Amino acid sequence: MPDPLEVRFVPLDRTPKGTVVVLVGHELAMAASGKSIDRAAGGQILKACKVGRFVGARKSALEVLSPNGVDADRVLLIGLGEAEPALDWVEIGGSVMGQLISRKAKPAAVIGETSEGPVAPADLADLALGAVLRSYSFRKFKTKPSADNDSAAAPGELTVYCRAPEEAAEAFQRRRALAEGVNLARDLVNEPANTLGPVEFAERAQRLADAGVEVEVLDMAQLEALKMQALLAVGQGSARPSRLVVMQWTGSSNRKAKPIAFVGKGVVFDTGGISMKPAKGMEDMKGDMAGAACVTGLMLALAKRKAAVNAVGIIGLVENMPSGTAMRPGDIIGSMSGQTIEVLNTDAEGRLVLADALWYVQERFKPKAIVDLATLTGAIMVALGKEHAGLFSNNDRLAGWLKEAGDATGERLWRMPMDTAYDKELDSKNADMKNIGGAYGGSITAAHFLKRFIQDTAWAHLDIAGVAMASNRTETNESWGSGFGVRLLDRLVTDHYEG
Ligand code: BES
Ligand code: MN
Ligand code: ZN
């Protein structure tokens, strides 16, 4: 893992060295500190703004190099724009870091003040979160720094000058835990399958024990004893054995309280199996474990911030390969639930993995609610593009909470329909169900397949195929693997399951 950005909060009275970021509102609205820097520089800063036609528009920036009369090497003005719509401090932190990286500015500092006065400690902590998220890059296999490897140029530390540094630092604690979770998820998604197979992934999950998570890794013999025949069928073509990992964080004051459960699809590589995928773009299928990565990152974040919740994370880790031992189209397999499945397409494998993981979590933990995440279908990208993940649920309240958490964090969800007409498409002549529906609505029939393994628990399924990998770059993410879902579900827990 690359060294994370170090953030320090210090009192406003010290003089910044290196690059100092000054936040500027609409029509050059500047805080007292910004004005005093300009005064010290003999008006050079505001003059540069005029020349550069910088007026503080949102996301705009202007730099003044080695201004006279101030200690800083560079003053970097960053526009906040108008007060409406409300400022998103995580985004601001991301764009500040983006500007610092593109200028290779280090050391770097931000003055936590606007024309409205000191920025609230929680907002500064959000800014720092955005900066940490933006400064992530996947460098594990780079033996030397390179131009496309931007955040090698990231400042190793960011100093935030502010009115109430202790409060900001305190507020930042839980955000740093969250950022660690997001960045762990990104690391796992970005890592290729040759070095991150089911066994290696399980080993990574085991490291969460250091943070106080209880981790169990179920091996082949245990999975067979549990009759997880659907999950095992997916892995049976691979030379590498399958695993199921159970992560438990017990943070509630009532240690016996029923947990909220998170279940992730962890197909470390999806060739499609015998129903093989075309070669073009197949390398992206190293990210077919993004659901599992999110669950692992989330469990780390919850533990690191000592969330007052009982949470369980379950990830099914398999590799979907074609071989002499692989499952075939037409095969009829069992499942832990006892239901039989006719596999008409071996590329519809994620749902087979989840079927057993979902059944297991209900049998063992009787959770209050279950949220599963999976890069489940290409069809969800056809429906929603890369802006929203698909949300499917049997429970309006849970769905509403998730939608709100998505809007609050920017990890947005769009609810998709579920009803028996879609479910019928899965009926099979030869077994209890088929693993695919008809030609259309593929993400919906996939969700209905999962629903057949849900008893009467509140459940939501997030199809994250469009948002978790090869996703749109944002102010807070430059990485191929976005870490989608960690912030969303941390928010869900904070708002509805803690205490
Ligand atoms: N892992 C894929 C879905 C996927 C596709 C994720 C592209 C990210 C990008 C999944 O296992 C799959 O192959 N789904 C099939 C289902 C079909 C065979 C019913 C699909 O979407 O084509
Ligand atoms: Mn597949
Ligand atoms: Zn898949």
Side-chain angles (χ1 to χ4, degrees):
M1 235 226 276
D3 296 337
L5 176 74
E6 195 76 53
V7 182
R8 297 185 308 146
F9 297 91
V10 304
L12 259 173
D13 53 5
R14 298 196 210 163
T15 336
K17 300 251 165 31
T19 294
V20 55
V21 171
V22 173
L23 303 169
V24 182
H26 183 56
E27 288 179 340
L28 282 183
M30 234 182 238
S33 52
K35 286 179 185 155
S36 81
I37 291 176
D38 181 58
R39 230 176 292 118
Q44 199 188 341
I45 308 292
L46 283 172
K47 193 172 168 198
C49 291
K50 285 225 177 68
V51 175
R53 296 185 193 277
F54 175 85
V55 292
R58 197 166 283 202
K59 288 182 184 167
S60 67
L62 179 113
E63 67 177 342
V64 182
L65 296 174
S66 56
N68 292 324
V70 293
D71 282 343
D73 296 336
R74 156 164 41 202
V75 175
L76 179 57
L77 303 161
I78 292 196
L80 300 175
E82 294 184 57
E84 295 291 322
L87 299 178
D88 178 334
W89 286 97
V90 182
E91 279 225 335
I92 292 167
S95 54
V96 165
M97 184 49 62
Q99 295 287 351
L100 291 170
I101 290 169
S102 67
R103 291 176 169 79
K104 296 188 166 43
K106 50 176 124 179
V110 182
I111 300 183
E113 210 186 16
T114 70
S115 60
E116 306 280 294
V119 179
D123 291 340
L124 289 174
D126 275 345
L127 178 149
L129 168 64
V132 174
L133 292 175
R134 177 64 175 262
S135 66
Y136 172 89
S137 78
F138 180 64
R139 295 202 294 270
K140 183 167 181 177
F141 297 97
K142 287 281 194 183
T143 61
K144 23 183 151 7
S146 66
D148 62 341
N149 181 13
D150 247 9
S151 67
E157 57 173 65
L158 181 69
T159 307
V160 182
Y161 289 84
C162 55
R163 171 78 63 84
E166 285 88 14
E167 285 172 51
E170 161 85 28
F172 181 58
Q173 298 270 330
R174 61 180 288 148
R175 274 113 168 146
R176 192 176 46 208
L178 188 54
E180 278 180 47
V182 175
N183 288 342
L184 170 61
R186 290 171 173 176
D187 273 341
L188 291 167
V189 175
N190 286 325
E191 185 156 345
N194 61 325
T195 58
L196 192 75
V199 170
E200 293 82 3
F201 194 134
E203 281 167 8
R204 300 302 165 80
Q206 253 160 346
R207 294 185 196 164
L208 268 61
D210 297 342
V213 178
E214 192 185 317
V215 186
E216 291 161 65
V217 177
L218 307 196
D219 63 15
M220 291 292 286
Q222 290 167 297
L223 299 177
E224 275 154 21
L226 286 163
K227 300 201 168 60
M228 291 207 187
Q229 290 156 7
L231 181 150
L232 288 168
V234 178
Q236 81 186 33
S238 171
R240 301 191 283 183
S242 303
R243 293 285 184 264
L244 185 99
V245 180
V246 182
M247 294 169 271
Q248 284 178 263
W249 167 250
T250 310
S252 171
S253 52
N254 175 6
R255 294 182 54 86
K256 293 257 150 62
K258 284 183 180 170
I260 175 164
F262 301 100
V263 177
K265 168 180 173 181
V267 177
V268 298
F269 196 83
D270 181 13
T271 62
I274 298 298
S275 314
M276 211 191 306
K277 290 182 179 298
K280 193 171 152 41
M282 204 205 274
E283 65 277 9
D284 280 0
M285 286 302 118
K286 72 173 185 177
D288 208 21
M289 27 53 75
C294 172
V295 170
T296 309
L298 174 69
M299 295 303 293
L300 178 66
L302 293 176
K304 286 234 162 178
R305 73 171 179 80
K306 305 230 176 307
V309 69
N310 292 346
V312 39
I314 305 253
I315 55 178
L317 302 170
V318 302
E319 179 174 47
N320 189 20
M321 295 290 264
S323 77
T325 61
M327 61 176 172
R328 294 152 286 253
D331 281 4
I332 295 174
I333 61 175
S335 65
M336 186 182 172
S337 73
Q339 300 176 93
T340 57
I341 304 160
E342 185 179 21
V343 178
L344 291 183
N345 190 320
T346 65
D347 197 11
E349 86 297 342
R351 61 198 75 183
L352 302 176
V353 175
L354 288 174
D356 281 341
L358 288 168
W359 194 264
Y360 177 79
V361 78
Q362 291 166 95
E363 291 289 291
R364 177 164 168 196
F365 294 101
K366 310 270 177 263
K368 279 185 195 155
I370 305 172
V371 180
D372 80 67
L373 302 100
T375 48
L376 202 64
T377 66
I380 199 66
M381 287 187 261
V382 176
L384 299 176
K386 295 186 160 236
E387 302 299 336
H388 291 87
L391 162 63
F392 301 83
S393 183
N394 62 2
N395 185 291
D396 290 344
R397 195 170 72 145
L398 177 61
W401 288 350
L402 280 161
K403 173 88 176 79
E404 282 165 19
D407 291 341
T409 56
E411 295 189 330
R412 291 185 300 158
L413 305 176
W414 195 260
R415 190 157 181 195
M416 300 286 287
M418 298 199 77
D419 71 50
T420 48
Y422 295 106
D423 181 74
K424 282 205 180 65
E425 292 190 38
L426 296 170
D427 290 341
S428 161
K429 255 198 243 159
N430 304 315
D432 295 337
M433 71 192 87
K434 304 185 288 190
N435 76 330
I436 54 171
Y440 304 114
S443 65
I444 308 175
T445 48
H448 276 281
F449 183 92
L450 302 181
K451 187 162 180 274
R452 288 184 176 220
F453 297 86
I454 298 293
Q455 301 165 52
D456 44 17
T457 310
W459 158 78
H461 155 61
L462 308 181
D463 193 335
I464 59 173
V467 293
M469 58 202 211
S471 41
N472 289 335
R473 305 303 197 256
T474 67
E475 292 293 354
T476 51
N477 181 47
E478 279 287 316
S479 158
W480 184 83
S482 64
F484 184 98
V486 177
R487 291 182 58 211
L488 169 84
L489 296 176
D490 176 77
R491 179 63 73 105
L492 176 79
V493 168
T494 302
D495 290 350
H496 302 290
Y497 292 94
E498 270 189 89

